[in-house]
Amino acid sequence: MIGPEENRKDGEKKAERVKMNCDRCGHEIPEGESYTYRGETLCEDCYLDIRLEVKACDPWAVYSATRYRESSKLKGTEGLNELQKAIYEFVKSKGKVTREEVMGNLSISEQEMQTQLAILRHCEFIKGHKEDDKVYLIPFS
Ligand SMILES: [Zn+2]
């Protein structure tokens, strides 16, 4: 038998305040901001990553691009290659686009898009935005 509510220890009240961590990146998820995807509990970032299918096909390219930007204190689009600039400018000019639109307009292959998108996301140029179950790319700020 379970005793009256007040006799329980704080630690047992798990169901009320569950601290959640993202199954992918391990970051703590603020209350009410968790997403469930195929049985995984995810933070918004990881969820949008999946929805946008942002996988760094070339993790080294992403790593070196982000490190390079940090170490050289680059501002704006400095240090981006022409393709990255084109994607960023396109997203910025439209305000909200799907990745398919970007690939179509700039004639970018699926794989190229993934790599560039990963870099642009990690360098905080572009982020995912969920609206009516569709995921768009929008400028980071
Ligand atoms: Zn996460």
Side-chain angles (χ1 to χ4, degrees):
M1 281 291 285
I2 300 170
E5 202 63 32
E6 54 268 33
N7 286 347
R8 290 201 201 174
K9 283 177 196 150
D10 280 341
E12 288 173 347
K13 292 191 173 181
K14 267 189 177 170
E16 286 171 28
R17 271 191 77 96
V18 186
K19 232 187 191 181
M20 284 206 284
N21 287 81
C22 175
D23 284 348
R24 300 225 163 191
C25 67
H27 285 149
E28 202 178 307
I29 307 170
E31 253 180 281
E33 286 178 33
S34 68
Y35 291 82
T36 307
Y37 186 77
R38 293 186 182 169
E40 289 183 302
T41 304
L42 304 170
C43 68
E44 186 171 38
D45 254 16
C46 291
Y47 176 73
L48 289 175
D49 264 357
I50 292 171
R51 290 297 306 270
L52 289 169
E53 294 172 64
V54 178
K55 288 182 295 243
C57 305
D58 190 350
W60 177 247
V62 176
Y63 176 77
S64 51
T66 46
R67 282 306 297 268
Y68 175 67
R69 290 191 60 80
E70 280 166 17
S71 63
S72 356
K73 295 191 168 52
L74 295 172
K75 290 192 186 73
T77 52
E78 286 171 4
L80 292 184
N81 67 28
E82 291 308 312
L83 184 54
Q84 289 156 2
K85 272 184 202 165
I87 296 171
Y88 176 59
E89 293 301 334
F90 184 72
V91 172
K92 221 168 65 170
S93 69
K94 297 275 179 186
K96 187 178 87 179
V97 290
T98 61
R99 58 202 291 277
E100 286 75 20
E101 282 180 86
V102 178
M103 292 192 296
N105 272 272
L106 302 175
S107 309
I108 308 171
S109 73
E110 178 81 29
Q111 195 181 354
E112 188 69 6
M113 183 66 193
Q114 288 207 3
T115 304
Q116 303 311 334
L117 198 52
I119 291 170
L120 289 165
R121 276 212 53 183
H122 283 270
C123 296
E124 304 190 340
F125 282 101
I126 289 173
K127 64 180 176 183
H129 170 70
K130 190 169 171 286
E131 202 175 295
D132 300 333
D133 212 44
K134 277 194 89 173
V135 177
Y136 297 92
L137 300 171
I138 61 170
F140 195 85
S141 53

